[in-house]
Amino acid sequence: MPITTLTSALEKVTAANPFEVQAIHQRVIQQLQEEGKATGLPVGEKAKDFELSDSLGNQINLADELAKGPVVLTFYRGGWCPYCNRQLRAYQEILPEIQALGAQLIAVSPQLPDYTLSDQEKAELSFKVLSDPKGIVATKYNLLYEVPDYLKSMYLSHNIDLHEYNGTDHWLLPVTGTFMIDEYSFIRSTYVNPDFTKRMEPEDILWELRKL
């Protein structure tokens, strides 16, 4: 395992952002924390089944995948997000250990399949990366929120157009979260954080999988 933690890598991403970007990020994070709406599904609840397209257009059904063993299900914002890119690369590094524990990793974002494919190719990801462009699955997992106007303006000023990436007129994103789902479809542990600059550590994923 790499010595550098994912947390420390993400802190470097934050430090590289201009102060005004950091300030807007903190504003939206605080707003999400205060609203307390997109908090994810709780431990012990049955996972919501779904069927989504992967980067090649194949339909992937969660129930079918759970029939093979436990699933680590992670929701991320998109390939335009440097925090997400670093997270997915870190999870790719532990994929052999996830598979050795009889589990698999599935990542879901609101991006269209075409953008998902380019992200998957760039990051050389070998796990399933699925497209949820209308946020239907993120809604089922109580993660979806509407991007506030001030954050939308900042993204557009940096040439990040979620209408183009996600193919919908509504600017919606998931709160980033990771769920450990056992082969009986029950959620055994969760990590849901409105602070999108933080993600579940790879070592914590393996620790939770070992407890299943």
Side-chain angles (χ1 to χ4, degrees):
M1 289 295 299
I3 297 175
T4 302
T5 64
L6 177 57
T7 298
S8 62
L10 295 179
E11 287 172 348
K12 291 179 181 178
V13 175
T14 296
N17 285 329
F19 175 76
E20 55 271 22
V21 171
Q22 295 185 43
I24 291 175
H25 282 173
Q26 285 303 311
R27 181 180 174 186
V28 70
I29 290 167
Q30 183 176 356
Q31 181 177 335
L32 287 169
Q33 290 171 332
E34 290 175 350
E35 291 177 349
K37 294 179 180 178
T39 56
L41 296 181
V43 171
E45 188 162 327
K46 202 156 189 180
K48 307 298 183 183
D49 193 23
F50 61 79
E51 185 169 279
L52 293 174
S53 296
D54 67 10
S55 56
L56 299 176
N58 301 311
Q59 294 297 304
I60 306 299
N61 179 269
L62 179 62
D64 291 343
E65 301 307 312
L66 287 170
K68 306 171 188 175
V71 167
V72 180
L73 178 64
T74 190
F75 290 83
Y76 71 103
R77 305 194 309 155
W80 50 269
C81 170
Y83 297 97
C84 297
N85 287 329
R86 188 64 192 86
Q87 173 197 12
L88 295 183
R89 288 199 301 271
Y91 288 4
Q92 174 66 38
E93 292 174 4
I94 63 164
L95 186 60
E97 293 168 86
I98 290 175
Q99 293 170 336
L101 291 166
Q104 63 173 311
L105 174 64
I106 297 176
V108 176
S109 87
Q111 295 181 127
L112 294 168
D114 286 347
Y115 287 103
T116 300
L117 178 61
S118 60
D119 292 336
Q120 193 164 12
E121 289 174 333
K122 284 187 293 186
E124 297 181 346
L125 308 178
S126 56
F127 51 84
K128 292 180 176 66
V129 181
L130 308 184
S131 177
D132 180 30
K134 294 183 180 179
I136 294 173
V137 176
T139 299
K140 286 184 176 182
Y141 281 76
N142 191 29
L143 295 173
L144 201 68
Y145 69 94
E146 187 169 357
V147 175
D149 288 340
Y150 61 86
L151 183 60
K152 178 179 178 180
S153 296
M154 188 197 77
Y155 283 158
L156 288 174
S157 71
H158 287 79
N159 297 315
I160 299 171
D161 186 348
L162 297 189
H163 169 70
E164 178 182 352
Y165 283 115
N166 299 349
T168 177
D169 291 334
H170 299 288
W171 277 53
L172 301 169
L173 286 175
V175 166
T176 53
T178 301
F179 300 85
M180 307 291 164
I181 307 172
D182 67 20
E183 60 267 41
Y184 305 105
S185 299
F186 286 101
I187 298 172
R188 297 286 294 275
S189 69
T190 69
Y191 178 92
V192 177
N193 196 334
D195 186 346
F196 49 79
T197 70
K198 296 179 172 61
R199 309 296 166 97
M200 190 173 190
E201 280 289 341
E203 271 297 329
D204 292 337
I205 290 177
L206 296 176
W207 173 261
E208 294 295 341
L209 280 178
R210 293 186 188 106
K211 297 194 305 187
L212 293 185

